[in-house]
Amino acid sequence: MSTQKSRHAFGRVATVAVASLAMIMGGAVSAHAEAAYPSDKNQPDLVNLLAQYKDYYNPSNAFNSKDPSSFGKGTVVDAKLLGHNDQSTQQINNAAAAGGDGVTPTEQQKRALIDSDYKMSETLPDALGSQLGAWFSQGLSDGTLSKTADLLTRTDPVSGRGNSLVADYLDTGTAKTTFNHPRPYVDRTEAGYPAAGLHTTLDIKRVPAWTDEQGRKHNPNYDGMTISGSFPSGHTTYAFSGGVGLATLFPQLGTEIVTRASEAGNNRIVLGVHYSLDIMGGRIDGEAGNTARWSDDQFRADKLMPAYNELQSYMANKCVSNNVVSKQSSDYDTVGACVAKLGANGAKGYANAFTDAVSTKPVTDRASAIDAYTARMSYGFAQDAAKAGQAAVVPQGAENLLLTAFPDLSDAQRRQVLAASESDSGYPLDASSQGYQRLNLAKAFSTKVVLSADKSTILSLTFGNAKPQTSVVKSDDGITSLLTDFNAYWKAGVGVTDAGKAVLKHDDELTESINNKAFAEGKDGQGARAVSDAQMNSTNTLYDALGPVLGSYYKKAMDAGKLPKTAEYLAAMNKSASTGNAKATYQHPRPYIDRQNYVGTTLNLNGLKQTLDIDKVPAYSDFNWGDGESNVDEYADLYNSGSFPSGHTTFAFTQGTGLASILPELGPEIMTRVSEAGNNRIVLGVHYPLDILGGHIAGQYGVATALNDDTARQQNADARAELVSLLTAQCKADKHGDTLQQCIDNTGANANQGYANAFVDEVSTKPVTDRTSAIAAYKARMSYGFEKTGAADAAPVVPDQAVNLLDNVTAFSSLTKDQKKAVLAATEGDSGYPLDASSQGWARIDLAAAYSAKVTLSADGTKIKSLEPGQATASVVRATTGGGNAGHPGDTGDTGQSAGQQPSHNDNTVKPKPTAQDGSATGTKTVGSKHAGLATTGSSLAPIATLLVTLVIIGTVTLEVIGYRRLRR
């Protein structure tokens, strides 16, 4: 099967069986006297779809055309709601008339008059942008697009009225007579408005008739509608029937097309002949009509798909013959490329500069089109709080509106797209509309759908994209693979597992605790720091990790562009880890949203809270990225973005691990600062601790792996040389010392005058005031207080690449690669915490401890005797043989030194960790065994196993090997 055919080979979809009515114009004769398709008989029952209208206005009787006195009689039931209906109607009408003279229509009034002609061929072309719109009009007028015209724009040659199979499918006559509501410009006394305290008539500016440049006369026909019911709007029903129809034939611009249809509906208010509620009702009608047509198998095969193929082929040929694009693999792809090249889905496409109290900004691109469409879905009516937040409701068969936009999805998946993109419940007409009131087709046609590797599950939905698109996650990538433990706690598209319930309960409770405490501190507390970190400006985040003096040097130089090689290196490290595939794969909802109704489906929370008690930080609801763009509500933007793993935390750790790798002298402080940046995502209430742990793993993995590349290693070396040179020069100038280490020592950057953070929480319980407390905070955030889910005290696991992160530690330059690996093994955290098992050792790596370690080697330099983290400076020393007992605890004798460092004595002495007898991470330890090994995901570690075995000194005395984990508990 060709690409074109396979892309649009649709399966059978059951026809919707709904009742009543035909055609769109009240009182018109059906264009299809003999029913040719099931949908001709099974038309939507508009009266039932709009029945909630009677909760606002209750007609005394249906209108009888033979008795004009029966028109417009009724009772106002909800004066507040109808008061807003009046107010919004009057404001939109008056705004369009502003600046006019009452004789010649304003530009917006002219546009409204054109739309009132019931001609889709006049209304819809400009939704495609100037060039595509011109080709569309040409194809309709010269007969090339005959199937498209038959479906959407055909007119009766005698009457000149609409006669198309879709746009003219519905008749609103019965609904109009049933609801029997007067127009805005007529006297409404009999309708009970005075009795409700509302105006008898509104201040409606009538639009004069107008003859355009082509000699066509456009008449608003006020006299002909004085006894024609306003609700629902027939013109709007027509506009949405045609608009949704064209969007199906041209899904690449579906967003712009349906927004243009919403403008046509709004233009009925501009003319003063309809109210806001009338337009909302017409939109519901049009959506229902297209659903009925598209759900008719026979109609779809005979009419819809031929018209679709005709229009796509026609536009593809136009694009190629006019040298906009070259021929792609299919007509669909060719048109998509053409749309992008012409900017028809952006700043060079559909535009509308007219604004009002509802649509407050001009339509200039796709994002503003979606905003305008969304605003006209509710027209500023108040939401019924008691009915808000209900589960998504998608009308039966509505998934067929997205057949051509998402041909690779199943019916259930297309319904999921509609459910996820729909608006909230509780707005007028929602209750009776069967879900049509909530459908946001402008968003739906801009959806990016990410599917699982087997295509069975939607993992991610995002809106506002340049085109409707579907992608499939990779079955495997580095970061995703490291985090597969998450599947044991949470199943994407399903919910909380039985095994993961306790883990995720702790995750939830800790998120609430950290977020709530930070919020209680007020606007100048940790929340402000969290908002700053959220800008993802690593300079602003990292500079204070270096202390006030060195941090100031660093920030000023970075801001002034005086550290170009450092900036280039950190930018490269940012590219080393991407969480996009992992987020899409694990697809876990954010803490602050309805977690049961997520991405258009209902999840099983297994007894956990549906929504957490999260305090939103005001500054993040009105967030400035610092890029010169307008403020945005980040909570709204992140709503459909998966939480796990945290992308911001991954960024923080690529930047922090990158900087620490070139400035390891302050590595403990830098790593603790980025752990704070990760924790700040919990402060904002947009991530959980597990998300932070995932980002921690991803960031470290990315940088360490990137440094396997020669180019990256050279960038690393160049950046270190540049940074050390600049900092040293500044230190000399300010008399803080002649070397970087002297400057660090003299300014206290590695002690109590360096990085500090007074904020505490349930995890990091003490302020960071010096290196010791910084390492403790970092350590606490490596496990976040989770209970262990796996074996504790398992054998060390050190990824081969992790050694790259120690290459710039001056004191460690004398160590072999295997010895460096042993340093990481001896300082790592304990095993068994969530995410450890799949992380291949990355969850356990403790760089804050490793960068501050004093390593004591045997006298011959081949074996690591002990390790002491938490030092002001990393060092390597050798024990000397003395008294026949050298190497015993407390008997170090004369100690060899590195870089002039004095030996340090404290209670953090760590001897190499025990391992399983067979080298596996079983948690079984044999102290003193000559066969002890180091579990690894990398190459053979026989040399390290030799380094880590229990030492036999003088053939008789065996030293006890004490695990670092036990000393630090």
Side-chain angles (χ1 to χ4, degrees), residues 424 511-512 514-523 526-528 530-531 590-594 611-623 632-640 680-687:
D424 197 6
T511 299
E512 289 180 322
I514 292 173
N515 166 264
N516 295 170
K517 184 180 185 303
F519 188 81
E521 293 167 356
K523 66 178 182 178
Q526 186 75 1
V531 170
R590 304 269 178 173
Y592 60 93
I593 68 172
D594 177 354
T611 307
L612 299 186
D613 177 20
I614 295 298
D615 292 313
K616 291 184 178 180
V617 177
Y620 206 51
S621 294
D622 188 28
F623 181 63
V632 294
D633 181 354
E634 278 296 288
Y635 291 105
D637 281 0
L638 295 174
Y639 198 88
N640 282 303
N680 279 339
R681 300 302 289 166
I682 310 174
V683 167
L684 293 175
V686 296
H687 279 291

Side-chain angles (χ1 to χ4, degrees), residues 555-622:
K555 179 168 171 52
K556 288 179 180 177
M558 287 291 281
D559 288 345
K562 294 181 178 179
L563 289 171
K565 293 178 180 178
T566 303
E568 180 184 14
Y569 170 63
L570 292 179
M573 292 306 97
N574 181 40
K575 297 175 183 177
S576 69
S578 171
T579 59
N581 193 67
K583 277 181 176 289
T585 298
Y586 299 114
Q587 200 52 34
H588 186 263
R590 304 269 178 173
Y592 60 93
I593 68 172
D594 177 354
R595 304 185 305 172
Q596 184 173 335
N597 299 306
Y598 179 62
V599 193
T601 192
T602 301
L603 300 170
N604 176 20
L605 296 182
N606 209 353
L608 300 185
K609 286 184 177 181
Q610 183 167 335
T611 307
L612 299 186
D613 177 20
I614 295 298
D615 292 313
K616 291 184 178 180
V617 177
Y620 206 51
S621 294
D622 188 28

